């Protein structure tokens, strides 16, 4: 999955990279991810930027309550209608993993019918991304954005 950036600063921790599937399924689209967790606040801020070809979309920024142990941080994003994301940052192994899980009771005939896989397992890595389309575009710098958000929230 490549080598993501995972750092433990004691009071807070950070993970950056791109989600790469670890379950052998279809390749994920290019998504830049930056997560910063604060032990004192008991929360994590996650910022993601999706792209398609030469188009980059506005960052999605979310704050989640998190559980902290000596060696790991976990949080759950259950905001989406059909799925939830369970994310763990393993500070000892310096890696981050996430599972997208179909929510119990999600209807296969409604807005969730496009979801074909009940579980997708991912690891934060450095997925190969074609940087050629980026040469003439401004790409948001998530590493600059998160400290500002951490200060505000």
């Amino acid at each position: 999955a490549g080598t993501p950036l995972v750092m433990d600063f004691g009071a807070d921790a950070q993970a950056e990279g791109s989600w790469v599937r670890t379950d052998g399924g279809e390749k994920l689209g290019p998504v830049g991810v930056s997560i910063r967790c604060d032990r004192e606040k008991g929360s994590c801020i996650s910022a993601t930027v999706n792209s398609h070809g030469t188009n980059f979309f506005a960052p999605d920024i979310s704050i989640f309550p998190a559980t902290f142990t000596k060696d790991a941080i976990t949080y759950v994003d259950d905001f989406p209608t059909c799925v939830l994301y369970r994310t763990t940052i393993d500070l000892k192994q310096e890696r981050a993993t996430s599972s997208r899980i179909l929510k119990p009771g999600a209807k296969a005939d409604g807005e969730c019918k496009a979801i074909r896989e009940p579980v997708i397992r991912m690891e934060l890595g450095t997925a190969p991304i074609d940087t050629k389309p980026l040469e003439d575009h401004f790409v948001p710098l998530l590493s600059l954005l998160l400290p500002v958000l951490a200060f505000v929230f």
Side-chain angles (χ1 to χ4, degrees):
T3 305
L5 174 65
V6 176
M7 296 184 295
D8 182 4
F9 301 108
D12 63 348
Q14 182 174 326
E16 293 182 1
S18 294
W19 291 119
V20 179
R21 282 189 76 157
T22 58
D23 59 7
E26 192 175 312
K27 182 180 172 184
L28 299 172
V31 177
V33 179
S34 186
I35 303 166
R36 176 156 297 168
C37 301
D38 185 315
R39 286 183 189 276
E40 187 176 305
K41 294 179 182 176
S43 64
C44 294
I45 298 174
S46 172
T48 59
V49 174
N50 292 287
S51 66
H52 180 72
T54 59
N55 297 313
F56 289 84
F57 303 98
D60 176 44
I61 301 165
S62 302
I63 301 173
F64 306 103
T67 303
F68 294 79
T69 65
K70 179 183 168 210
D71 296 327
I73 303 165
T74 58
Y75 65 87
V76 174
D77 174 4
D78 64 353
F79 182 74
T81 301
C82 303
V83 298
L84 61 85
Y85 293 87
R86 188 177 317 274
T87 302
T88 300
I89 301 172
D90 186 323
L91 301 170
K92 193 171 187 177
Q93 295 184 21
E94 297 183 346
R95 62 188 287 233
T97 58
S98 189
S99 296
R100 187 200 78 178
I101 303 165
L102 188 62
K103 285 183 177 178
K107 303 283 188 231
D109 59 347
E111 64 184 294
C112 302
K113 68 181 176 184
I115 298 173
R116 296 179 298 239
E117 299 175 84
V119 177
I120 292 179
R121 299 192 192 292
M122 305 166 271
E123 182 170 349
L124 201 58
T126 50
I129 296 175
D130 179 12
T131 58
K132 182 79 171 150
L134 305 180
E135 291 176 359
D136 297 325
H137 293 281
F138 168 77
V139 179
L141 300 173
L142 295 179
S143 59
L144 296 176
L145 183 60
L146 282 178
V148 172
L149 291 170
F151 178 76
V152 172
F153 294 101

